[in-house]
Amino acid sequence: SAVISQKPSRDICQRGTSLTIQCQVDSQVTMMFWYRQQPGQSLTLIATANQGSEATYESGFVIDKFPISRPNLTFSTLTVSNMSPEDSSIYLCSGLGFANEKLFFGSGTQLSVL
Amino acid sequence: AQSVAQPEDQVNVAEGNPLTVKCTYSVSGNPYLFWYVQYPNRGLQFLLKYITGDNLVKGSYGFEAEFNKSQTSFHLKKPSALVSDSALYFCAVRDGAGGGADGLTFGKGTHLIIQP
């Protein structure tokens, strides 16, 4: 099984600034995804991180707000841009193993925007 | 489109009693079904999955789940609850026809509280 390291684990940011979250997998995964978990809510898929090309965004999420990179099979970043208090949430990185069956999750980044 | 319903926000069970956390799903193709558990301030941990084969699947920490195609359900069960089982449980589904290209769709989660 893959181990996913995510950092920072938490941050407190000012309105209007940007934060980049890093996700490192200890082995190759086929797909990588970014999820958001708002307080008291379930997980919502933000986008699929595609290696070497633009991410595929879900409805309601756009590249200008959540730019994503995936330069290789084991690393991805998510930036939360021009933050507002509504962006306060837990952001989770996940990877799909080569058996295309099970998602592995990082421990998440808890973001608070003041 | 795929969806998951967890009808209970919270389930309370006395320690030692059997527990059930309910989940129903909707997909257009064959369902890939999962249960994850989230402990406070931690990421999601995989419990078990159903892809194909036996309808009763066994997973981590003594949990099991039964796939029922006619009722489109995938309820999580454990014969004897432990206080340490108290956590937030998520059911998730992916359409098997998606070939792995789609992320999971999660239910809203069920808080499981085991009382000593």
Side-chain angles (χ1 to χ4, degrees):
Chain A
S1 59
V3 175
I4 299 182
S5 302
Q6 197 175 326
K7 61 180 181 181
S9 59
R10 60 179 63 228
D11 207 343
I12 300 173
C13 300
Q14 295 297 319
R15 181 195 299 262
T17 63
S18 297
L19 175 71
T20 296
I21 303 168
Q22 297 181 5
C23 177
Q24 178 74 54
V25 188
D26 69 343
S27 58
Q28 291 184 354
V29 292
T30 56
M31 311 288 291
M32 293 183 75
F33 304 94
W34 287 96
Y35 284 85
R36 181 172 73 181
Q37 185 179 20
Q38 294 182 300
Q41 303 292 318
S42 185
L43 283 76
T44 301
L45 180 63
I46 297 172
T48 303
N50 301 309
Q51 184 196 359
S53 64
E54 189 173 294
T56 304
Y57 290 85
E58 298 298 305
S59 175
F61 298 96
V62 296
I63 187 171
D64 290 345
K65 176 67 175 177
F66 297 101
I68 289 170
S69 76
R70 189 182 175 192
N72 56 55
L73 284 174
T74 62
F75 185 78
S76 179
T77 66
L78 167 74
T79 298
V80 185
S81 302
N82 188 25
M83 288 184 285
S84 66
E86 292 72 32
D87 295 320
S88 297
S89 187
I90 297 173
Y91 292 85
L92 292 154
C93 171
S94 67
L96 186 66
F98 271 89
N100 273 1
E101 294 181 352
K102 186 168 67 179
L103 269 185
F104 302 95
F105 283 87
S107 55
T109 296
Q110 185 164 345
L111 172 61
S112 298
V113 184
L114 305 178
Chain B
Q2 55 203 37
S3 64
V4 176
Q6 292 181 243
E8 304 152 317
D9 290 335
Q10 182 170 307
V11 171
N12 295 283
V13 178
E15 186 176 25
N17 283 0
L19 68 87
T20 299
V21 183
K22 296 179 180 177
C23 171
T24 58
Y25 66 90
S26 174
V27 294
S28 55
N30 291 324
Y32 287 13
L33 294 157
F34 304 81
W35 276 100
Y36 284 84
V37 59
Q38 186 177 37
Y39 297 99
N41 300 315
R42 295 175 65 178
L44 272 72
Q45 297 180 29
F46 170 81
L47 275 181
L48 51 79
K49 69 180 188 293
Y50 172 83
I51 304 298
T52 186
D54 289 341
N55 289 343
L56 183 66
V57 293
K58 295 185 182 298
S60 306
Y61 313 121
F63 284 93
E64 59 189 28
E66 185 167 14
F67 170 63
N68 187 316
K69 186 174 183 178
S70 63
Q71 297 184 5
T72 62
S73 67
F74 190 59
H75 301 331
L76 181 69
K77 300 181 180 182
K78 186 173 182 180
S80 178
L82 300 173
V83 173
S84 58
D85 293 330
S86 299
L88 181 59
Y89 290 80
F90 290 98
C91 181
V93 69
R94 181 161 61 83
D95 191 334
D102 300 321
L104 291 178
T105 296
F106 284 82
K108 63 180 175 62
T110 299
H111 284 96
L112 177 62
I113 299 175
I114 309 301
Q115 296 151 333

